[in-house]
Amino acid sequence: MFRSKLNNAYKRTVSSMAFGGNSRFFSTAGDYTKLGGHPTLVKAGISNPNVFRNLSTAELYELGIGSNPTDPKTKKTVITSTGALAAYSGVKTGRSPSDKRVVREPSSEGDIWWGSVNVPLEEHSYEINAQRAKDYLNTRPRLYVVDAYAGWDAAYRIKVRIITCRAYHALFMQNMLIMPTEDELQRDFSNGADYTIYNAGEFPSNPLTKGVATTTSVDVNFAQKEMVILGTQYAGEMKKGIFTIMHYIMPQKGVLSLHASANEGETGDVTLLFGLSGTGKTTLSADPKRKLIGDDEHCWSDDGIFNIEGGCYAKCIGLTREAEPEIWDTIKFGAVLENVGFYNEHTRNVNFHDVTLTENTRLSYPLEFIPSAKFPAVGDHPKNIIFLTCDAYGVLPP
């Protein structure tokens, strides 16, 4: 019954999109994309007048390739031979877990397992970093806002706002989150979002700030429902930041958050595939004989499972059409490639074996780029649970 109601709600959403509601590829009529001076931004300390919300893919392409990164050492964004957007994250080509901090404050202190993973940061130090990020964002020629949902189950989804100064970051998050219709945007985001991410990754943190070790700092504040990114342009920090937030929120609601992919067979049998990064979750979940629910982040409630995300984030080192045709075919207009090299800079044919910048080359694409994707991205209780491991030494991890 629950899943039937959710399916009907999704059909209504698709119907509104078909008549010019919201689309990943075409912005709708009206001024809802212009957000500069909006009370929710002013209250948050964002005074930049040139703020644009939920722009179309085409607009973000134009703005992305039309502006240079602040750091001259960061390669310029370009379009590949197949139409994907190739962007570059500068010095940081992967996440910076040792620079991640969680603000220690009374409302959440007792619910966090403090240690080498959840490293505490004083509230005052967070305020310094947050002000530093907002001051930088206010100096940029333009800002991009993404207002969207995390979580396909409406009973548990959260509203998320991303504020960034790089167009590719905005497109990346529009791929990775669940985009609202125009009606949903007006109804649910008029007063802002549940959580806001301030991505000022082009600007460094100050290692002299207490609790900050380097020029990179990624800070989560559960009391203020905010996240601040300084010193890293790697897009995956935003994705994992939202996953961190869901890890905190969902268990308090009796829901288990999972680092796993999921798909569904013809009879409705759901399979969960657990595994660390690089063990095959994305590849195996895109089985053309099964419906893809999601490739990386899910929640398991009393009603079944649901995907947190609206897209997939695949490793693409060594990617070939022969080995992974479903993923290969997503590399088109709307997809974002991160830190890839080319066989030829003139033709922009991507060399997926090029590790000049990093072995952690990445590909972001929306779920609908996979023909077998299921909408809404929910499923019943899993019947199969598989643990994937990439064991180079012949000894399984404990």
Side-chain angles (χ1 to χ4, degrees):
M1 178 66 72
F2 169 80
R3 294 307 182 200
S4 175
K5 290 180 180 178
L6 196 55
N7 280 317
N8 289 336
Y10 176 74
K11 289 175 182 176
R12 290 194 296 272
T13 298
V14 170
S15 176
S16 70
M17 289 172 66
F19 290 93
N22 179 67
S23 168
R24 295 182 189 273
F25 305 115
F26 303 98
S27 62
T28 58
D31 293 330
Y32 83 96
T33 60
K34 299 176 182 177
L35 208 64
H38 193 276
T40 58
L41 293 180
V42 174
K43 183 179 179 180
I46 299 298
S47 58
N48 192 319
N50 299 311
V51 184
F52 300 92
R53 175 170 65 171
N54 291 17
L55 292 178
S56 71
T57 300
E59 290 167 319
L60 289 172
Y61 263 56
E62 292 168 1
L63 292 165
I65 64 177
S67 57
N68 293 317
T70 300
D71 185 353
K73 296 180 182 178
T74 301
K75 293 182 66 175
K76 194 176 185 296
T77 301
V78 297
I79 301 175
T80 73
S81 60
T82 60
L85 193 72
Y88 298 89
S89 63
V91 176
K92 297 282 187 175
T93 57
R95 291 191 296 114
S96 303
S98 62
D99 293 310
K100 193 166 185 177
R101 300 289 184 267
V102 179
V103 177
R104 189 191 288 270
E105 49 79 28
S107 69
S108 62
E109 185 174 11
D111 297 320
I112 295 172
W113 188 351
W114 301 103
S116 59
V117 174
N118 296 312
V119 180
L121 184 71
E122 291 183 0
E123 291 179 88
H124 180 65
S125 294
Y126 174 80
E127 293 299 336
I128 292 173
N129 283 349
Q131 190 61 54
R132 190 176 180 88
K134 294 173 185 179
D135 286 346
Y136 178 76
L137 292 170
N138 285 332
T139 68
R140 297 300 85 204
R142 69 179 64 86
L143 297 180
Y144 307 98
V145 167
V146 177
D147 281 346
Y149 302 112
W152 277 91
D153 188 334
Y156 298 106
R157 72 184 183 187
I158 65 170
K159 297 176 292 183
V160 178
R161 170 168 287 179
I162 312 295
I163 303 176
T164 181
C165 52
R166 293 203 65 186
Y168 108 80
H169 285 160
L171 180 57
F172 173 88
M173 291 310 293
Q174 288 185 188
N175 281 349
M176 299 310 299
L177 292 170
I178 303 160
M179 298 304 293
T181 65
E182 187 173 350
D183 287 343
E184 288 173 330
L185 192 63
Q186 300 294 350
R187 182 192 71 214
D188 293 345
F189 293 89
S190 59
N191 295 317
D194 298 320
Y195 277 82
T196 300
I197 295 178
Y198 300 93
N199 187 344
E202 289 184 307
F203 196 63
S205 56
N206 185 345
L208 296 179
T209 303
K210 186 176 181 180
V212 177
T214 70
T215 55
T216 298
S217 193
V218 180
D219 313 325
V220 180
N221 188 325
F222 290 116
Q224 296 188 24
K225 296 186 176 182
E226 293 178 349
M227 178 176 174
V228 167
I229 298 174
L230 289 166
T232 173
Q233 299 176 64
Y234 182 65
E237 291 289 6
M238 295 179 288
K239 165 189 159 66
K240 283 300 182 183
I242 292 170
F243 198 25
T244 298
I245 291 166
M246 294 296 273
H247 274 318
Y248 174 74
I249 295 173
M250 289 298 107
Q252 297 181 38
K253 297 185 176 183
V255 177
L256 180 64
S257 50
L258 307 166
H259 186 201
S261 63
N263 58 26
E264 181 182 276
E266 292 181 358
T267 62
D269 56 299
V270 171
T271 294
L272 280 180
L273 297 141
F274 286 90
L276 298 176
S277 178
T279 55
K281 295 188 301 299
T282 299
T283 301
L284 294 172
S285 62
D287 184 339
K289 297 179 181 179
R290 297 175 65 84
K291 294 179 181 178
L292 171 68
I293 297 175
D295 81 317
D296 193 51
E297 301 175 5
H298 291 80
C299 289
W300 190 349
S301 73
D302 290 339
D303 297 305
I305 67 163
F306 63 90
N307 190 355
I308 293 173
E309 301 180 299
C312 302
Y313 192 38
K315 281 180 175 287
C316 53
I317 183 69
L319 180 65
T320 65
R321 186 168 206 159
E322 292 72 25
E324 300 176 80
E326 291 77 24
I327 295 175
W328 180 275
D329 288 342
T330 69
I331 307 171
K332 56 187 179 181
F333 180 75
V336 177
L337 286 162
E338 195 171 30
N339 297 319
V340 297
F342 297 101
Y343 285 110
N344 186 307
E345 290 286 346
H346 177 65
T347 62
R348 303 275 165 75
N349 291 321
V350 179
N351 179 0
F352 290 106
H353 300 283
D354 189 333
V355 296
T356 302
L357 295 177
T358 179
E359 292 188 4
N360 188 39
T361 51
R362 289 283 185 162
L363 165 66
S364 162
Y365 53 90
L367 282 173
E368 58 260 34
F369 278 18
I370 298 292
S372 62
K374 183 185 180 186
F375 294 102
V378 301
D380 290 327
H381 295 290
K383 291 188 176 180
N384 310 295
I385 298 176
I386 299 171
F387 177 73
L388 304 171
T389 182
C390 185
D391 176 20
Y393 300 100
V395 180
L396 287 171

